[in-house]
Amino acid sequence: MYRSIEVCYDISALDVETDVAALDFRNAAMHHIEFALDRQKEWTGAEIGLGEVNFGFEVRDFDKAEAAVRAAVKDTPYDCIREIRRFEFDESEMA
């Protein structure tokens, strides 16, 4: 089973004035959260557009990964997560 989470932020909730600043925020948040996941998780992508920035990681356990992310961002500039989306696919469906 393949599982991933996608961390999403509304650009309007960020303290940024340009798309470049939003991109910088996204990259910094992604780096910060990567360490919270012990670098054991594969990065699955990142996007900016339609009023949001997001990025994802492959995970083994949704609840543990989400708890690690929320603990890592607490009381940091990255604490304004709008949502964490969960995706799950049977690996045979991905081929």
Side-chain angles (χ1 to χ4, degrees), residues 11-92:
I11 292 174
S12 63
L14 307 178
D15 188 21
V16 299
E17 295 182 18
T18 66
D19 285 345
V20 171
L23 183 61
D24 289 342
F25 175 92
R26 186 212 57 204
N27 292 342
M30 186 169 60
H31 180 74
H32 182 82
I33 290 171
E34 179 181 21
F35 281 96
L37 296 173
D38 296 326
R39 295 181 157 195
Q40 298 174 18
K41 312 305 180 234
E42 290 291 322
W43 174 72
T44 61
E47 296 178 333
I48 181 172
L50 300 174
E52 81 171 20
V53 295
N54 61 60
F55 50 88
F57 293 95
E58 182 178 350
V59 299
R60 290 186 187 99
D61 182 289
F62 287 131
D63 293 332
K64 287 181 182 178
E66 187 169 336
V69 169
R70 297 222 182 259
V73 301
K74 185 176 181 179
D75 299 325
T76 72
Y78 315 116
D79 198 12
C80 56
I81 295 171
R82 183 190 71 224
E83 71 177 312
I84 298 177
R85 297 177 187 144
R86 297 176 176 197
F87 299 94
E88 184 172 60
F89 304 97
D90 184 318
E91 291 183 39
S92 65

